[in-house]
Amino acid sequence: MSHIIFLHGASSSGKSTLARALQAEIELPFWHISIDHLRDAGVLPTKRFRCGEFDWHASRPAFFEGFHKSLAAYAEAGNNLILEHILDDERWLPGLQSLFSPFDVYFVGVHCPLPVLIEREAARGDRPQGSARRDFETIHLGKTYDLEVQSLDGVSLNAERILNGWRTGRRNSDFSRSAGAA
């Protein structure tokens, strides 16, 4: 059975840094998967979306449906994943619960104080202004995690906490509950 460590947090909360630390320490091979990788590798015609030549809002549903199905396909083929994602559409969680039901999912909430998110978002310059605030206010609502971490506790400590929790095999998140476990 493939394993998925799902890092869920606001834009600029430190998910990518944490994912890299996990990948460097974990005892099994894990792919680090993120939408940012597709954007940064040029898979998406990002410049054409940004300039308005293509309509991102019209393309977004098909993009995310394909992205989510690709994650399940990677895991179905036997690959372990460290996924960083922002569940900013209420339909995504039930869809991912269904797609990920055959796999061991360890769902981690990554929290970061709002002033830090805003500062990081401004420094990055590659996110729409206000996305960190919007995420901060909404994305964790109603979610049940296997573990929640605070990004200001530091990458090393959080990676250790996640790995220790993942290694126990105990799951009690939205993903384990959807599979009938408790």
Side-chain angles (χ1 to χ4, degrees):
M1 174 190 329
S2 295
H3 304 280
I4 300 171
I5 298 176
F6 189 144
L7 304 177
H8 180 246
S11 176
S12 302
S13 63
K15 298 181 302 295
S16 296
T17 303
L18 185 53
R20 286 189 295 273
L22 290 169
Q23 189 181 43
E25 296 296 324
I26 200 160
E27 58 271 13
L28 298 172
F30 270 75
W31 293 18
H32 172 198
I33 303 285
S34 166
I35 302 248
D36 293 354
H37 298 146
L38 297 175
R39 183 200 65 223
D40 296 346
V43 173
L44 292 171
T46 306
K47 288 181 184 178
R48 297 177 82 183
F49 281 124
R50 285 191 181 144
C51 77
E53 182 179 350
F54 296 144
D55 183 355
W56 172 243
H57 293 289
S59 299
R60 191 174 193 265
F63 169 80
F64 279 102
E65 182 176 347
F67 177 66
H68 293 160
K69 286 180 178 177
S70 75
L71 298 169
Y74 294 145
E76 187 175 318
N79 299 292
N80 300 311
L81 309 176
I82 298 169
L83 168 62
E84 53 169 296
H85 199 6
I86 303 169
L87 298 174
D88 63 7
D89 183 311
E90 64 187 31
R91 297 167 292 193
W92 293 351
L93 179 59
L96 286 170
Q97 287 171 318
S98 177
L99 287 169
F100 291 175
S101 65
F103 315 116
D104 170 44
V105 179
Y106 192 67
F107 193 32
V108 179
V110 180
H111 298 274
C112 187
L114 182 57
V116 175
L117 290 175
I118 292 169
E119 181 181 312
R120 289 177 179 175
E121 178 182 73
R124 289 174 69 152
D126 66 349
R127 298 289 190 274
Q129 290 297 311
S131 61
R133 176 183 294 277
R134 183 187 62 248
D135 292 348
F136 176 84
E137 293 172 349
T138 60
I139 64 156
H140 293 295
L141 297 176
K143 307 290 185 303
T144 301
Y145 298 105
D146 292 302
L147 179 69
E148 297 185 60
V149 297
Q150 292 289 335
S151 65
L152 295 187
D153 289 345
V155 173
S156 296
L157 180 58
N158 283 331
E160 181 182 345
R161 287 174 177 159
I162 291 168
L163 291 174
N164 288 340
W166 172 75
R167 289 174 181 135
T168 69
R170 289 190 297 270
R171 310 289 183 259
N172 194 32
S173 74
D174 289 323
F175 287 93
S176 58
R177 291 176 181 178
S178 71

